[in-house]
Amino acid sequence: MATSSNQSLQGGDQEHTLVAALTLFFEEPQAQQAEAKVRELLAAREVISLVSVPVPWNGLAMIEASLAVNHEGLLLLAGPAGAIRLGQQVEDFALALKLGTGALYVDQDDAEVQTGEPIEDPRLDAMPPGRTVAIGALNEPDMGVWAAASKTSWQLLPPESAGAAVAVHEGFLVGGVLAASQHPAIMLSRTGARFTASFWFDKQPAKLGGHPAWVHIWPVAASPAFWPQASTPARRELDLLLANQDSVDGQELDELAGLLVGAENIERLKQALVGTGSLQSAQRVLETFGHPPVLARYLEDADLPEDARRIEPVSMARAVGRALIAESRTSGARPRWYNSLSWKPAAQLALGLIEALVFSLVLAATHWQQPWAPPWVIVLLLVLGFVDATGNTVLGAVRWFRARRRP
């Protein structure tokens, strides 16, 4: 069973009731007919189950089915008058479901039910179209590094007064790497009915390497394949399935304390991440973490402001260089007069040439038979001096030529 298959539905009529998760893949043009076929087959077998709406994915359509099973992996079926009866093994039923619906693939436990091997389809290896919104302490240089690392383009929206910066990407994303200077941040993403949320927190451990401390993938909105008779054991099992898809694992969220996520933020996550994926779920996350819920509109096809700044992916070296230069200009760690990267390009170039001349004169004037200082001190001074001179000369020249090329 898939990860969610290991969850026990506490309070079920069957001891150790579990959820078996299957994902069926169809060609996208067949999505609506495929959903109807899946529901029809499950209802005909009276399998206590939920079926999601189709989610488009690069020409494919994914439909998720959650089936109630007992601890031996046998299906729970609705018998006469709503009593519970046991069906076949879920593994065997998954293959029958594939053949009966004409699905391209059926995934269970990261393996295709017919071949037993991981599904290999290039369409599943690429992120699909969609919309992504990032909210936080975002700035253009660090967003450039993110764009370079993920090979994605972004639109950085003009900042609103006393509000966090907002960036929008035309595509679906899960996670990513954000510099510590951009924490805390939230990234919401959507493709069809699939919604995700990624969270970066202040003071999260450096061992995360800029990756989010928590990524939440909401369940896709699902409904029963059929409704057993009310107030019966079968109906109670179905109600537990419905409650399970709306719940969040609080114990797993509590473990975020080990990643230095504060108790207040953990409680916020527990409140915000319940339910299935929707625009309302995204709005709830934004409101819970102190951002305007209206920003969720950018997950749809809302028009972006005309003065949004487009950030295209460039080489990583170029992006990091831009970020370092921008950081050096605003750094309060040392005075601007000492920080040559904050100087104008021509001034930095001139400094490098002057340094090279000075240290060349020092080298020429030194009598190594009668040195003016211990030889190792002179060598160290010359090496450091020429390295600094070379850096300022090269960087100053590059910045100067780039400035001249700009219109």
Side-chain angles (χ1 to χ4, degrees):
M1 300 176 196
T3 303
S4 58
S5 304
N6 298 324
Q7 289 185 331
S8 175
L9 298 184
Q10 299 298 326
D13 290 334
Q14 297 294 314
E15 184 181 3
H16 304 305
T17 300
L18 303 174
V19 183
L22 305 177
T23 304
L24 297 87
F25 296 86
F26 300 87
E27 295 290 352
E28 188 174 354
Q30 306 168 2
Q32 300 305 320
Q33 300 91 322
E35 181 190 356
K37 188 68 175 178
V38 172
R39 291 181 178 277
E40 178 184 347
L41 196 153
L42 290 170
R45 299 285 188 92
E46 297 182 305
V47 180
I48 300 173
S49 57
L50 302 177
V51 180
S52 77
V53 297
V55 175
W57 195 283
N58 295 328
L60 294 172
M62 298 188 300
I63 297 176
E64 297 175 355
S66 300
L67 317 178
V69 300
N70 71 358
H71 66 285
E72 296 177 344
L74 298 176
L75 295 173
L76 301 187
L77 310 179
I84 296 292
R85 60 189 178 90
L86 297 179
Q88 66 191 122
Q89 285 283 341
V90 66
E91 291 82 2
D92 297 331
F93 180 74
L95 179 56
L97 190 63
K98 175 183 179 180
L99 300 177
T101 60
L104 288 176
Y105 320 107
V106 175
D107 178 90
Q108 183 184 15
D109 282 345
D110 298 322
E112 212 286 319
V113 297
Q114 190 167 13
T115 66
E117 301 292 333
I119 298 173
E120 294 187 4
D121 190 315
R123 291 175 290 185
L124 295 176
D125 295 334
M127 286 296 180
R131 262 283 179 96
T132 299
V133 180
I135 304 103
L138 310 178
N139 58 69
E140 186 172 346
D142 284 337
M143 287 300 297
V145 175
W146 191 4
S150 59
K151 295 181 173 57
T152 55
S153 60
W154 291 82
Q155 297 269 16
L156 187 60
L157 277 55
E160 299 180 6
S161 58
V166 179
V168 177
H169 166 65
E170 295 290 343
F172 181 70
L173 290 177
V174 179
V177 177
L178 274 182
S181 61
Q182 297 181 281
H183 301 169
I186 297 173
M187 186 179 78
L188 301 168
S189 195
R190 175 192 185 182
T191 179
R194 169 69 73 197
F195 289 78
T196 69
S198 304
F199 299 86
W200 292 262
F201 296 98
D202 271 335
K203 301 179 182 178
Q204 69 178 45
K207 67 181 181 181
L208 291 176
H211 290 280
W214 184 257
V215 173
H216 184 74
I217 302 176
W218 276 284
V220 177
S223 58
F226 75 103
W227 290 90
Q229 185 177 339
S231 301
T232 62
R235 183 60 172 267
R236 285 193 286 273
E237 293 293 343
L238 178 60
D239 290 341
L240 288 167
L241 273 183
L242 289 167
N244 182 70
Q245 77 163 351
D246 288 337
S247 64
V248 63
D249 191 338
Q251 185 175 355
E252 192 174 6
L253 287 173
D254 286 336
E255 295 176 0
L256 286 174
L259 295 177
L260 306 182
V261 178
E264 182 180 359
N265 282 326
I266 292 175
E267 289 303 315
R268 287 175 175 174
L269 290 173
K270 290 179 180 179
Q271 297 171 18
L273 300 181
V274 296
T276 57
S278 65
L279 282 174
Q280 289 72 30
S281 299
Q283 291 170 350
R284 184 169 58 248
V285 165
L286 292 171
E287 185 173 15
T288 302
F289 283 88
H291 301 296
V294 70
L295 293 177
R297 72 183 186 274
Y298 290 121
L299 290 174
E300 297 186 293
D301 293 329
D303 293 332
L304 303 182
E306 293 183 359
D307 53 349
R309 185 69 178 268
R310 188 170 186 84
I311 301 174
E312 295 286 357
V314 296
S315 69
M316 180 57 75
R318 186 175 180 183
V320 171
R322 288 177 177 176
L324 288 174
I325 291 172
E327 182 179 359
S328 70
R329 287 173 176 166
T330 58
S331 174
R334 53 184 178 176
R336 276 182 70 90
W337 63 265
Y338 185 74
N339 183 0
S340 59
L341 283 175
S342 66
W343 295 10
K344 293 182 179 180
Q348 186 182 13
L349 175 59
L351 173 63
L353 294 174
I354 292 172
E355 285 179 318
L357 176 61
V358 169
F359 287 106
S360 296
L361 292 174
V362 171
L363 177 60
T366 299
H367 297 284
W368 294 101
Q369 300 300 325
Q370 295 179 326
W372 48 270
W376 69 268
V377 173
I378 299 174
V379 171
L380 179 61
L381 177 65
L382 291 173
V383 168
L384 294 177
F386 280 119
V387 167
D388 193 58
T390 302
N392 281 323
T393 302
V394 172
L395 283 175
V398 170
R399 294 173 60 207
W400 184 67
F401 280 117
R402 285 181 178 172
R404 286 176 60 86
R405 286 205 304 266
R406 291 193 188 114

